[in-house]
Amino acid sequence: LENHLGELWAQCDFLLPGFLGDSRTFSTTWRTPIEKQGNQVRREILANRLRPFILRRHKEEVASELPEKTVIVRSVELAAGQRDLYETVRSAMDARVREEIAAKGLARSQIVILDALLKLRQVCCDPRLLKSTAAAKVKERAKLDLLMEMLPEMVAEGRKILVFSQFTSMLDLIAEALQKHKLAFALLTGDTKDREAEVQSFQEGDKPI
């Protein structure tokens, strides 16, 4: 909804088909006048039309008893083989990035730069994410080891825990470790078939992670 009004139309077309007309009519009547012409009257009329269907609540209205959010940053130091692998990848990717920039310029080297950052992030998360012979030989997994130290204790305290990763392959590795520790968990990825059942099992406490 924050990017452009076309996304608002798509949401409404899914939930209330026909309520805002077809896409072309919506663009002519609402999107163009509001986004390109700055028509505040059109904007207010659209807002009034949508207001009965939009509920906006602030945290203090919904759960005033909740304390302020606490953020604790845990630094994890890489050791032994994992540290050496990181340095090897960093050195190799540094040379590759410099060559690419020298040949094509910074603006046309973005893909190589992003690929370098991706590989370094993978090494930090778990060497097994980096599909290479050298990475397969590394036994140290600093972040996963720390996570598996923390989770059993937190579950024993009766906590509910959300674990996020941008790598679904990392979630698979975490799931494998949780199974070894006999810790029940729900898993949500793009491949999850019955998402509602997974969410419900977490909310009801059957699966605390």
Side-chain angles (χ1 to χ4, degrees):
L1 298 184
E2 295 177 354
N3 293 329
H4 53 72
L5 289 177
E7 294 185 359
L8 174 65
W9 176 85
Q11 295 285 343
C12 288
D13 190 58
F14 174 73
L15 297 167
L16 302 163
F19 180 67
L20 294 178
D22 59 33
S23 178
R24 180 173 296 181
T25 301
F26 179 79
S27 292
T28 302
T29 308
W30 306 106
R31 188 174 176 186
T32 299
I34 294 171
E35 291 184 350
K36 295 184 178 180
Q37 299 167 5
N39 191 319
Q40 293 300 310
V41 175
R42 293 265 89 190
R43 183 182 184 280
E44 189 59 33
I45 293 173
L46 178 62
N48 286 336
R49 180 172 291 190
L50 291 167
R51 193 163 284 121
F53 303 101
I54 296 178
L55 175 64
R56 182 180 182 185
R57 298 184 296 175
H58 295 279
K59 187 187 78 171
E60 56 268 20
E61 297 170 332
V62 181
S64 57
E65 73 279 4
L66 289 178
E68 288 298 313
K69 180 173 69 173
T70 301
V71 177
I72 301 173
V73 178
R74 294 288 297 268
S75 297
V76 183
E77 185 174 349
L78 304 184
Q82 189 173 8
R83 182 189 59 229
D84 294 342
L85 177 65
Y86 181 92
E87 183 56 30
T88 299
V89 173
R90 187 204 62 75
S91 178
M93 295 309 297
D94 178 65
R96 183 183 170 197
V97 167
R98 290 178 185 276
E99 289 173 4
E100 191 78 7
I101 292 175
K104 299 181 179 179
L106 180 61
R108 298 177 62 186
S109 304
Q110 299 300 315
I111 298 299
V112 173
I113 294 171
L114 290 174
D115 182 55
L117 293 173
L118 173 67
K119 285 182 168 58
L120 292 174
R121 288 180 58 215
Q122 287 176 324
V123 175
C124 288
C125 285
D126 193 302
R128 290 173 292 180
L129 298 181
L130 196 65
K131 306 302 181 184
S132 72
T133 304
K137 296 177 181 177
V138 176
K139 302 304 179 184
E140 292 79 16
R141 293 140 193 178
K143 288 181 74 174
L144 184 58
D145 289 344
L146 176 61
L147 182 67
M148 296 317 300
E149 286 178 17
M150 296 169 64
L151 290 181
E153 183 177 336
M154 295 170 75
V155 170
E157 293 173 353
R159 295 175 181 267
K160 287 186 177 181
I161 304 130
L162 293 173
V163 180
F164 296 92
S165 177
Q166 289 183 307
F167 302 116
T168 55
S169 48
M170 184 66 192
L171 292 177
D172 291 336
L173 295 175
I174 294 171
E176 181 182 323
L178 290 172
Q179 288 169 345
K180 289 181 180 178
H181 283 74
K182 294 182 170 52
L183 294 172
F185 64 93
L187 180 64
L188 285 179
T189 70
D191 295 327
T192 303
K193 297 291 188 293
D194 193 346
R195 301 176 71 84
E196 185 177 352
E198 291 292 276
V199 172
Q200 188 174 0
S201 66
F202 174 74
Q203 290 178 334
E204 293 179 354
D206 298 332
K207 298 175 179 178
I209 303 171

